[in-house]
């Protein structure tokens, strides 16, 4: 019997392959499949082997088991409702938090939570939340305790909304108080007045002391708390040591301790500006949450009733007034209006819609009230998909983010050890060589070590990289391009090969009349096809006919047989007419042909076709200009028709008459040419999407399986959004590289100068550290300006 083990932390498909190989080596295992997409391990094994599989999964890299199903009866969708005895299991609970001061602290909190038994957690610094997976109530309580006792972090109401300024009001007041006291003290110190007049010296020291405590008390308190917990190496520790060290050296040298206060003041000012920048970026994403309508007007027997969009069911008729948001995906049944769809596709021009047309939730009705029929419940609507994907967009971390997280983890302890060597070992060696203890030598090298410590803070890297990806994902979302994480953004930027499904991706996905013999032929065909359930029959939906068909019978795989005006009407393919001995001449066409015969005589034919979407050729040209070197269409259609579509779309090649497994095999071959983008919409595309480096789904018509397997969703089914998304992804990746290289280069240069130059001012290290951090944050915010 298969047993399902839900896991988290499996970061890539290659890791999934390695884990699967290792698990299959365990004694007592018949077979194991590791499903990277759904983060599940499906095992056919003995009880002993099952326990060993769970243990091995918990040891494998960052993987953690969040639910094991010993009986194999429960699936991951039921996790939220499963119980263990009387203790409820909690999976994927989102806990809103506040006062998490920096991305490095978020990393540390995440590490602390994941050390707890029965807890797996992700700390999302951008959205200020913890995504918690707890095996039982006890584990959850431990996690909540750890969250609320981590520095100044607190759990807040998820609906609580504050402006960035209000959130930082306490910090602003402390910085203003410190600056008001520091500036006159620094002036007195700089002019020498504090050295000549005792009273002025006392005032200066008091002002410095109060200013330092006003602005630095949060850092000092956090440092003490962290040391008690055994957490020494973090930015609070670095700034505490640097500032107190500078104060001590200044006092012993009789130079005052203004430099130590300046270190803390500038650091806190930098943290404030960083917080404002991050808050601004976070708010730009939060605005997307306003897409959801708060209420819908349901029409029941002509009576209006206001309900929540979640209560609407397929088939309900709703009234959408001018100025209201569309609550769910629906089809207009009465009236016409214009829609503002900027929130879905980024296009500023309104779209005119009338009865019979589908409209998506999240858009705004601009002009007239319309009545519409619900075609999808809220949970399956466009706006629900957008909110869910955006909310979870930070879950998949890119290689750059993972690198920075690991880098920061080891970087700070290393620089602290290096600073100790600079402060203690180097002057000791110098004194030993000179065979004399010289205090000035120790003072000089301690000062250099403090400069080294200040510039070593990893904030610029830790915050700017995720902030850049966050901005890129948000920028894409504004155009209706939903990216499921920074990894997906990177893959989209790096792909050099693109493959496309045909129907619904390159073509409209709906049949229309391309040509016909005469008007009578079309009207007779329309009278017959209204009884057919075949997709081709939809092409005749808008045709007005004077004929009435009776005794209709659908002939499987051939067409429709009925009676019109007392005579037998045949409407279908050539086989239908041949079987009924109708004399006619076959027509050569790449389109689907409907032949019509009435009363035993051939009437004519109708050509039915699925047309290529407008703008597809321009989209392919744009992709090629962005570095996509090869494009191909993969379809199950006939080669002749595929060749026509591929030529019209401007593709480099095509493969036709493919079954789903053959599509998958061809996708594997294309990956040998470079990283692969695959764009599709149907359930048969899901296997290929899983295989592709970057899978893109047409969100409006795409199947749930395809959307689940995809990395990028185009909400409005507009293929022209793909090159837009790729441009944003490329810009995002370029800014990430700039921030990493630039920050490391500047820090390395200042570190070298602080060691090499005997009188390198500590204040320059502080300014450089704050400057690098702000420059990286501002550079990260540029991604929101990509056009």
């Amino acid at each position: 019997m298969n047993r399902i083990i839900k896991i988290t932390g499996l970061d890539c498909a290659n890791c999934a392959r390695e884990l699967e190989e290792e698990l299959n080596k365990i004694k007592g295992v018949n077979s194991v499949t590791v499903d990277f997409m759904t983060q599940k391990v499906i095992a056919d094994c003995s009880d002993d082997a099952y326990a060993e599989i769970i243990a091995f999964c918990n040891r494998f890299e960052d993987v953690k088991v969040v639910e094991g199903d010993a009986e194999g009866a429960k699936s991951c969708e039921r996790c939220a409702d499963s119980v263990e005895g009387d203790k409820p299991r909690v999976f994927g609970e989102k806990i809103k938090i506040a006062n998490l001061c920096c991305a490095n602290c978020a990393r540390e909190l995440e590490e602390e939570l994941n050390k707890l038994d029965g807890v797996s957690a992700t700390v999302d610094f951008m959205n200020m939340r913890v995504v918690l997976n707890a095996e039982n109530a006890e584990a959850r309580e431990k996690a909540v305790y750890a969250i609320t006792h981590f520095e100044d972090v607190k759990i807040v109401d998820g609906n609580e909304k504050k402006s960035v300024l209000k959130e930082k009001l306490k910090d602003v007041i402390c910085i203003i108080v410190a600056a008001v006291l520091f500036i006159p003290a620094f002036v007195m110190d700089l002019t020498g007045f504090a050295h000549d007049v005792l009273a002025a010296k006392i005032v200066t020291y008091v002002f410095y002391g109060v200013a330092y405590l006003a602005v630095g008390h949060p850092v000092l308190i956090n440092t003490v708390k962290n040391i008690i917990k055994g957490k020494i190496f973090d930015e609070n520790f670095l700034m505490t040591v640097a500032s107190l060290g500078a104060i001590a050296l200044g006092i012993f040298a009789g130079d005052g301790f203004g430099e130590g206060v300046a270190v803390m003041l500038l650091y806190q000012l930098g943290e404030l500006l960083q917080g404002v920048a991050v808050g601004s970026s976070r708010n730009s994403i939060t605005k997307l949450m306003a897409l959801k309508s708060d209420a819908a007007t349901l029409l029941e027997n002509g009576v209006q009733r206001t309900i929540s969009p979640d209560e609407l069911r397929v088939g309900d008729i709703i009234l959408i007034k001018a100025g209201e948001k569309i609550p769910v995906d629906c089809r207009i049944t009465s009236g016409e209006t214009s829609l503002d769809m900027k929130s879905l596709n980024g296009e500023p021009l309104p779209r005119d819609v009338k009865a019979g047309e589908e409209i998506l939730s999240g858009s705004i009705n601009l002009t007239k009230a319309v009545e519409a029929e619900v075609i999808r419940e809220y949970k399956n609507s466009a706006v629900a998909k957008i909110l869910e994907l955006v909310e979870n967009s930070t879950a998949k971390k890119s290689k750059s983010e993972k690198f920075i997280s690991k880098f920061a983890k080891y970087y700070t302890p290393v620089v602290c050890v290096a600073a100790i060597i600079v402060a203690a070992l180097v002057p000791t060696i110098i004194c030993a060589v000179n065979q004399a203890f010289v205090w000035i030598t120790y003072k000089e090298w301690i000062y250099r070590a403090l400069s080294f410590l200040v510039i070593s803070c990893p904030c610029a890297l830790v915050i700017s990289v995720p902030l850049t990806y966050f901005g890129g994902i948000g920028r894409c979302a504004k155009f209706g391009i939903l990216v499921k994480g920074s990894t997906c953004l990177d893959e989209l930027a790096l792909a050099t090969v693109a493959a496309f499904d045909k129907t619904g991706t390159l073509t409209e996905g709906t049949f229309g009349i391309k040509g016909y013999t005469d008007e009578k032929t079309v009207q007779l065909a329309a009278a017959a096809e209204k009884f057919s359930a075949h997709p081709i029959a939809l092409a005749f939906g808008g045709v007005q006919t004077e004929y009435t068909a009776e005794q209709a019978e659908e002939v499987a795989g051939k067409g429709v047989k009925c009676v019109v005006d007392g005579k037998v009407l045949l409407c279908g393919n050539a086989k239908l007419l041949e079987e009924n001995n109708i004399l006619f001449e076959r027509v050569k066409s790449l389109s689907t042909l409907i032949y019509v015969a009435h009363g035993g005589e051939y009437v004519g034919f109708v050509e039915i076709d699925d047309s290529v979407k407008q703008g597809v050729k321009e989209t392919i040209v744009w992709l090629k200009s962005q570095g996509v070197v090869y494009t191909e269409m993969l379809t199950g259609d006939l080669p002749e028709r595929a060749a026509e579509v591929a030529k019209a779309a401007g593709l480099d090649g095509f493969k036709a008459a493919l079954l789903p497994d053959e599509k998958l095999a061809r996708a594997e071959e294309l990956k040998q040419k470079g990283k692969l983008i695959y764009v599709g919409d149907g359930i048969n595309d899901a296997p290929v999407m899983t295989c592709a480096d970057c899978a893109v789904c047409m969100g409006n018509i795409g199947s749930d399986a395809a959307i689940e397997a995809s990395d990028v969703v185009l909400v409005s089914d507009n293929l022209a959004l793909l090159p837009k998304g790729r441009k944003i992804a490329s810009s995002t990746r370029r800014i990430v590289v700039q921030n990493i290289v630039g920050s490391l280069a500047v820090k390395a240069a200042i570190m070298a100068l602080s060691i090499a130059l005997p009188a390198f001012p500590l204040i320059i290290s502080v300014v450089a550290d704050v400057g690098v951090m702000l420059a990286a944050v501002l550079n990260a915010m540029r991604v929101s300006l990509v056009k």
Side-chain angles (χ1 to χ4, degrees):
M1 181 183 291
N2 284 337
R3 306 180 182 207
I4 299 173
I5 304 168
K6 182 71 178 171
I7 58 175
T8 188
L10 191 58
D11 295 323
C12 68
N14 191 49
C15 296
R17 178 187 58 78
E18 293 175 3
L19 176 59
E20 186 174 296
E21 287 179 1
E22 293 299 324
L23 293 177
N24 276 302
K25 295 176 184 177
I26 295 174
K27 186 179 179 181
V29 169
N30 298 322
S31 68
V32 170
T33 300
V34 178
D35 188 338
F36 170 63
M37 295 304 300
T38 59
Q39 298 277 290
K40 287 189 291 188
V41 176
I42 304 165
D44 181 6
C45 59
S46 64
D47 291 342
D48 291 341
Y50 174 73
E52 196 169 340
I53 286 172
I54 290 179
F56 189 89
C57 287
N58 281 321
R59 295 196 304 269
F60 186 81
E61 296 187 358
D62 296 326
V63 174
K64 196 170 185 69
V65 173
V66 295
E67 190 231 1
D69 181 5
E71 302 302 322
K74 298 173 186 173
S75 65
C76 61
E77 287 77 16
R78 296 177 58 189
C79 289
D81 300 320
S82 62
V83 296
E84 182 181 350
D86 58 349
K87 296 180 180 179
R89 291 181 175 185
V90 180
F91 295 97
E93 180 187 6
K94 297 178 180 67
I95 300 175
K96 193 74 177 170
I97 58 174
N99 300 338
L100 189 59
C101 61
C102 70
N104 199 41
C105 296
R107 177 187 61 79
E108 292 173 0
L109 174 58
E110 186 174 297
E111 285 182 2
E112 277 199 18
L113 290 172
N114 284 312
K115 289 176 184 176
L116 300 174
D117 290 337
V119 172
S120 172
T122 300
V123 178
D124 185 347
F125 175 62
M126 293 302 171
N127 287 316
M128 277 291 171
R129 66 179 183 182
V130 176
V131 181
L132 178 66
N133 299 285
E135 287 187 357
N136 49 51
E138 184 180 354
R140 184 187 184 280
E141 286 175 11
K142 289 180 181 178
V144 170
Y145 181 86
I147 293 169
T148 54
H149 286 74
F150 183 86
E151 298 185 358
D152 294 327
V153 174
K154 66 175 183 176
I155 295 175
V156 297
D157 179 5
N159 298 317
E160 183 178 329
K161 294 180 181 178
K162 286 185 179 180
S163 67
V164 177
L165 183 61
K166 282 185 178 180
E167 286 182 352
K168 300 290 180 181
L169 185 58
K170 181 182 175 183
D171 296 334
V172 171
I173 293 172
C174 289
I175 289 173
I176 290 173
V177 169
V180 167
L181 294 172
F182 173 79
I183 291 172
F186 183 72
V187 170
M188 286 190 286
D189 211 354
L190 195 64
T191 57
F193 185 62
H195 298 278
D196 300 331
V197 181
L198 180 62
K201 188 173 186 178
I202 294 172
V203 170
T204 300
Y205 273 53
V206 170
F207 277 19
Y208 276 152
V210 175
Y212 181 80
L213 291 175
V215 77
H217 73 275
V219 177
L220 298 175
I221 292 170
N222 286 334
T223 300
V224 173
K225 285 181 179 178
N226 291 339
I227 290 175
I228 292 172
K229 295 176 183 177
K231 284 175 51 189
I232 299 176
F233 301 114
D234 67 352
E235 62 176 1
N236 291 304
F237 177 79
L238 294 181
M239 296 315 302
T240 298
V241 171
S243 60
L244 290 179
I247 288 172
L249 288 177
I251 291 174
F252 284 128
D255 299 329
F257 55 94
E259 196 168 32
V261 179
V263 167
M264 187 62 75
L265 180 58
L266 286 172
Y267 167 72
Q268 289 291 64
L269 179 61
E271 289 293 294
L272 174 65
L273 294 176
Q274 169 191 294
V276 171
V278 173
S280 175
S281 181
R282 185 181 294 125
N283 286 343
S284 69
I285 294 290
T286 305
K287 287 177 184 176
L288 288 170
M289 301 306 164
L291 284 173
K292 182 179 179 181
S293 176
D294 296 325
T297 304
L298 178 66
L299 294 178
E300 294 178 317
N301 301 319
V303 178
Q304 298 182 18
R305 185 161 67 91
T306 302
I307 63 173
S308 167
D310 304 271
E311 298 177 51
L312 292 172
R313 297 293 175 261
V314 174
D316 285 347
I317 302 297
I318 59 175
L319 176 67
I320 307 167
K321 300 172 185 175
E324 289 184 344
K325 293 189 187 78
I326 311 301
V328 293
D329 298 351
C330 49
R331 183 177 291 106
I332 296 177
T333 57
S334 175
E336 58 182 38
T337 186
S338 294
L339 297 180
D340 178 352
M341 299 187 67
K342 285 198 297 288
S343 55
L344 296 181
N345 58 20
E347 298 298 331
L349 294 177
R351 174 191 161 199
D352 294 331
V353 291
K354 58 183 183 299
E357 293 191 49
E358 181 179 326
I359 54 178
L360 297 179
S361 53
S363 49
I364 300 172
N365 183 11
L366 293 177
T367 54
K368 301 175 183 176
V370 294
E371 293 181 13
E373 179 185 359
V374 176
I375 59 174
R376 296 182 196 94
E377 292 183 8
Y378 174 76
K379 64 181 179 182
N380 298 319
S381 65
V383 69
K385 291 175 185 175
I386 292 173
L387 298 183
E388 181 183 0
L389 291 177
V390 171
E391 190 176 357
N392 297 321
S393 62
T394 55
K396 293 184 180 179
K397 295 182 179 179
S398 68
K399 290 181 180 178
S400 302
E401 285 182 282
K402 292 170 191 170
F403 162 74
I404 292 301
S405 293
K406 290 183 179 179
F407 176 80
K409 183 178 179 180
Y410 299 106
Y411 168 77
T412 306
V414 167
V415 295
C416 285
V417 171
I420 292 172
I421 292 173
V422 170
L425 188 59
V426 173
T428 300
I429 293 173
I430 293 173
C431 290
V433 170
N434 295 328
Q435 297 183 344
F437 174 82
V438 182
W439 159 244
I440 194 65
T441 302
Y442 275 91
K443 178 193 172 185
E444 178 185 312
W445 284 95
I446 290 172
Y447 192 81
R448 294 184 187 188
L450 294 177
S451 294
F452 187 85
L453 275 181
V454 168
I455 195 60
S456 68
C457 282
C459 285
L461 290 169
V462 174
I463 184 60
S464 67
V465 172
L467 181 60
T468 306
Y469 281 116
F470 192 69
I473 290 168
R475 186 64 174 163
C476 283
K478 287 185 178 180
F479 289 99
I481 307 162
L482 305 184
V483 184
K484 292 186 178 179
S486 51
T487 301
C488 309
L489 211 61
D490 269 358
E491 297 293 354
L492 179 60
L494 295 171
T496 56
V497 179
F500 303 85
D501 176 43
K502 181 178 78 71
T503 306
T505 302
L506 296 175
T507 65
E508 294 291 350
T510 54
F511 290 102
I513 298 174
K514 182 180 180 182
Y516 50 87
T517 305
D518 52 34
E519 192 66 33
K520 178 182 177 182
T521 305
V522 175
Q523 289 197 23
L524 284 170
E529 291 291 351
K530 73 177 183 179
F531 294 101
S532 175
H534 196 280
I536 288 177
L538 297 175
F540 297 91
V543 176
Q544 299 295 322
T545 177
E546 61 184 55
Y547 300 101
T548 301
E550 300 172 339
Q551 302 174 34
E553 173 192 352
E554 187 154 8
V555 183
K558 296 171 186 174
V560 178
K561 183 178 181 180
C562 60
V563 175
V564 171
D565 295 339
K567 298 177 183 179
V568 174
L569 173 66
L570 301 175
C571 181
N573 56 26
K575 288 182 180 179
L576 181 64
L577 270 65
E578 288 170 349
E579 287 180 358
N580 287 274
N581 301 314
I582 304 296
L583 294 177
F584 73 103
E585 187 177 342
R586 283 178 178 259
V587 179
K588 290 184 179 180
S589 174
L590 294 176
S591 303
T592 300
L593 289 166
I594 303 295
Y595 294 97
V596 179
H598 189 212
E601 293 184 1
Y602 176 62
V603 177
F605 68 88
V606 181
E607 281 184 293
I608 304 296
D609 213 340
D610 181 13
S611 58
V612 174
K613 284 184 176 180
Q614 212 172 12
V616 165
K617 192 166 187 176
E618 291 78 3
T619 295
I620 301 302
V621 170
W622 198 359
L623 283 174
K624 288 184 175 180
S625 71
Q626 294 176 344
V628 175
V629 297
Y630 182 77
T631 57
E632 184 171 292
M633 180 176 68
L634 307 180
T635 178
D637 204 350
L638 296 174
E640 296 83 2
R641 175 62 182 145
E644 186 182 29
V645 173
K647 183 179 179 181
L651 299 175
D652 296 316
F654 69 91
K655 294 291 180 183
L658 297 177
L659 296 173
D661 60 326
E662 292 172 326
K663 269 191 177 185
L664 183 59
R666 180 55 184 164
E668 293 284 5
E669 292 174 11
L670 289 175
K671 287 178 72 174
Q672 303 305 312
K673 296 176 180 286
K675 284 187 175 291
L676 173 67
I677 298 173
Y678 181 80
V679 189
D681 68 282
I683 192 166
N684 62 319
D685 292 317
V688 191
M689 287 182 162
T690 305
C691 162
D693 296 291
C694 181
V696 181
C697 178
M698 311 298 278
N700 186 11
I701 57 175
S703 69
D704 289 342
I707 291 175
E708 181 65 28
S710 65
D711 301 303
V712 179
V713 178
L714 307 181
V715 175
S716 61
D717 289 340
N718 182 1
L719 197 61
L721 293 174
L722 180 58
K724 286 186 180 183
R726 182 176 164 84
K727 183 180 180 184
I728 295 170
S730 299
S731 299
T732 300
R733 182 170 173 78
R734 185 166 57 251
I735 290 172
V736 166
V737 173
Q738 289 171 357
N739 279 343
I740 292 176
V741 174
S743 298
L744 289 177
V746 172
K747 285 181 176 291
I750 299 295
M751 283 180 182
L753 289 173
S754 66
I755 299 298
L757 300 180
F760 190 79
L762 180 62
I763 201 71
I764 291 181
S765 292
V766 179
V767 172
D769 176 58
V770 173
V772 167
M773 184 266 292
L774 289 178
V777 168
L778 292 174
N779 194 36
M781 294 178 71
R782 280 198 308 118
V783 76
S784 63
L785 304 176
V786 175
K787 295 181 180 179

